[in-house]
Amino acid sequence: YRKAAEQGLVEAQCNLGVCYRYGDGVEKNLAEAVKWYRKAAEQGDFIAQYNLGICYDNGYGIEKNIEEAVKWYRKAAEQGYAKAQYNLAVCYDSEYGVEKNVEEAVKWYRKSAEQGYARAQHNLGICYYNADGVIQNNVKALAWVCAAYANGDNGTTKAIRIIRQKMTSAQIEQALKLAKNYANGIFDESKESMQLQIFHYLDSKQQDNFIKF
């Protein structure tokens, strides 16, 4: 990696940074990791940008700087990197290095969730449950949390139980069908949105008789 990195090859620079970060084949050296991450990040490598953000976020090999962490998360997020999108969403959600903005948090959770990142799917579901940055919707809340569970987030079981307690059997069925769509990468909700809006105004008996899709 070193020879290629010294010649300016972006992927090699990022990989060399990883080697120094974890002591893989070289003595662990966080400052060297930051050096090589930065070289790759400044050339636009989104993984290096994310890794540099992590270093600033945690003070690995460099003085901790939350604002710089957000800056590099954003650069990677804007290139479509799901982990960076999730981290940026958390920053907006928790007022961490940036002014709190739940709508921006939802925006980035959604971008990450739609790439199948389980933690983002979980948090997006909670946003729907709590009406944080979106209109409250238990069906979508359960759907996203179930999608997260299907993607390996075992920490969703409590949320699933709590959300289900506030839903009818028909709503639960609706949510599970939507979750299957999410798991299959289907996010076009034009039909679903129309039905969910109708669903909201029906009583329990009417919901049980509502047309399933």
Side-chain angles (χ1 to χ4, degrees), residues 77-127:
E78 288 174 346
Q79 293 198 69
Y81 193 42
K83 290 183 178 181
Q85 291 170 338
Y86 170 78
N87 281 17
L88 183 58
V90 170
C91 291
Y92 277 114
D93 203 2
S94 57
E95 199 172 0
Y96 185 75
V98 68
E99 185 176 346
K100 185 177 180 70
N101 187 324
V102 291
E103 288 79 14
E104 276 293 299
V106 167
K107 166 188 166 182
W108 291 107
Y109 281 143
R110 189 182 306 281
K111 287 179 181 292
S112 181
E114 290 184 353
Q115 294 192 69
Y117 193 58
R119 295 173 71 181
Q121 292 173 332
H122 185 176
N123 284 17
L124 182 56
I126 299 303
C127 287

